[in-house]
Amino acid sequence: MHKTMEETRARRVGLRRSPGMEPTLSAPAPEFAGLNTYASDPVLTAALDATLDEETEDELKAFGAYWGSGEAQEVARIANANTPTFRDMDWEGNRLDQVDMHPAYHALMNRSVTAGLTSSAWEEGEDRRQHRLRAATLYLTAQCERGHLAPISATHATVAALAYAPDLEAELYPLIASRRYDRRAVPLRDKEGAIATLAMSERGAGGATTNCRGEMVGGDAIRLWGRKWMVAAPMGDIVLSLCLTQDGPTAVAIPRFDPENMGAIRIERMLALGGLASQAVVAL
């Protein structure tokens, strides 16, 4: 019996090791080699031809090379696979009203802020050219990931609104134009850069009206109350909110993390936004 078992084992070892019987590993899927989203777009390059100099064109080529690369596509995939999470309270039961974003999302934000998508159109230079170049870089970025462009575009739009409040512009524009992405939830005075979000729409109010009310309390200060719907990027440093005052409709800039304002902005719940999984959208 013992001899038979030994023969059986030897035979099976031989079968496993016979030529051609070794297990083969499938070849890894080829890595996406990337595509330069600027250089490969003849319509875009032709539209910008009169605007470009050699240095600017080289910058756009580098920009297009990154956003069309496999690396950028992977960062975008990770950001959208790891959706934002809402924490209404801390472990002691205190109100927190915080939305946590994945590091991949912050990496996208850092690159777009550094590239000037929040402020470059308003920087020194010929206005039309600045806006055209900013629109081109936004277009190239959107071909990779659009969710993070909600606060990027909101911040860009906020600069235009600040032109009607010179004192506030003098305080906030240097933070927006710093081209530094500072994701810390701290007061504006401690920030190296600022991001804005827009709180304009309301449930059932329609696009032309607002149920949010504002009351002048001295100087340019306004006390605001009401609810907002579909607010993207709720962790922005500045919330630009539409409201109705006794003198008519206006926009109010609310510092999100001002010590005097803590607890004034409450997130009711997260809302689903199809196609932009990396972005947080809430009701206030």
Side-chain angles (χ1 to χ4, degrees):
M1 178 66 71
H2 178 71
K3 183 178 181 180
T4 303
M5 287 297 297
E6 289 295 329
E7 291 174 347
T8 301
R9 289 173 182 167
R11 185 176 69 254
R12 289 174 178 170
V13 169
L15 287 172
R16 288 198 301 270
R17 296 178 180 174
S18 297
M21 296 292 290
E22 294 86 352
T24 58
L25 299 176
S26 59
E31 184 177 345
F32 175 59
L35 175 72
N36 190 312
T37 55
Y38 172 77
S40 63
D41 192 331
V43 176
L44 178 62
T45 54
L48 292 173
D49 186 55
T51 304
L52 300 178
D53 53 40
E54 185 176 350
E55 180 181 356
T56 305
E57 186 168 25
D58 288 343
E59 291 176 359
L60 286 173
K61 286 179 180 177
F63 206 75
Y66 175 75
W67 287 114
S69 69
E71 176 188 348
Q73 296 289 330
E74 181 64 5
V75 173
R77 183 194 68 77
I78 294 171
N80 282 270
N82 295 274
T83 55
T85 56
F86 171 45
R87 290 191 289 152
D88 58 344
M89 296 183 181
D90 64 16
W91 64 278
E92 292 182 326
N94 301 311
R95 290 289 308 191
L96 195 59
D97 293 290
Q98 181 170 321
V99 178
D100 295 328
M101 314 295 286
H102 191 271
Y105 170 87
H106 292 300
L108 294 166
M109 285 291 295
N110 182 65
R111 183 168 286 271
S112 288
V113 170
T114 303
L117 285 180
T118 54
S119 61
S120 62
W122 312 110
E123 294 171 0
E124 186 177 354
E126 197 277 314
D127 288 349
R128 182 175 297 180
R129 181 176 185 273
Q130 297 290 93
H131 280 276
R132 291 182 71 185
L133 292 175
R134 191 259 175 188
T137 53
L138 184 72
Y139 170 70
L140 296 173
T141 307
Q143 293 183 57
C144 180
E145 209 286 323
R146 293 171 294 161
H148 81 286
L149 292 179
I152 293 293
S153 298
T155 307
H156 166 80
T158 297
V159 177
L162 289 175
Y164 296 91
D167 292 343
L168 195 58
E169 181 183 40
E171 177 186 350
L172 298 181
Y173 180 70
L175 287 173
I176 294 173
S178 70
R179 295 202 181 196
R180 294 184 179 182
Y181 177 56
D182 186 345
R183 72 186 203 185
R184 295 175 299 158
V186 297
L188 286 168
R189 64 173 178 268
D190 299 324
K191 301 282 288 189
E192 296 181 356
I195 292 294
T197 188
L198 304 180
M200 300 295 173
S201 62
E202 298 173 17
R203 189 172 186 176
T209 61
T210 176
N211 294 321
C212 194
R213 294 292 185 264
E215 177 187 5
M216 303 299 297
V217 293
D220 293 330
I222 296 179
R223 180 182 293 112
L224 195 67
W225 66 93
R227 293 182 175 181
K228 290 297 180 179
W229 185 252
M230 297 296 287
V231 179
M235 297 304 290
D237 305 293
I238 307 159
V239 181
L240 194 66
S241 177
L242 187 67
C243 74
L244 188 63
T245 69
Q246 186 176 1
D247 297 327
T250 188
V252 180
I254 307 167
R256 178 75 166 84
F257 306 108
D258 192 302
E260 297 180 0
N261 210 41
M262 296 304 291
I265 297 178
R266 293 199 171 188
I267 297 175
E268 181 181 313
R269 61 191 175 96
M270 294 274 287
L271 303 171
L273 184 65
L276 301 175
S278 69
Q279 185 54 255
V281 179
V282 302
L284 298 179

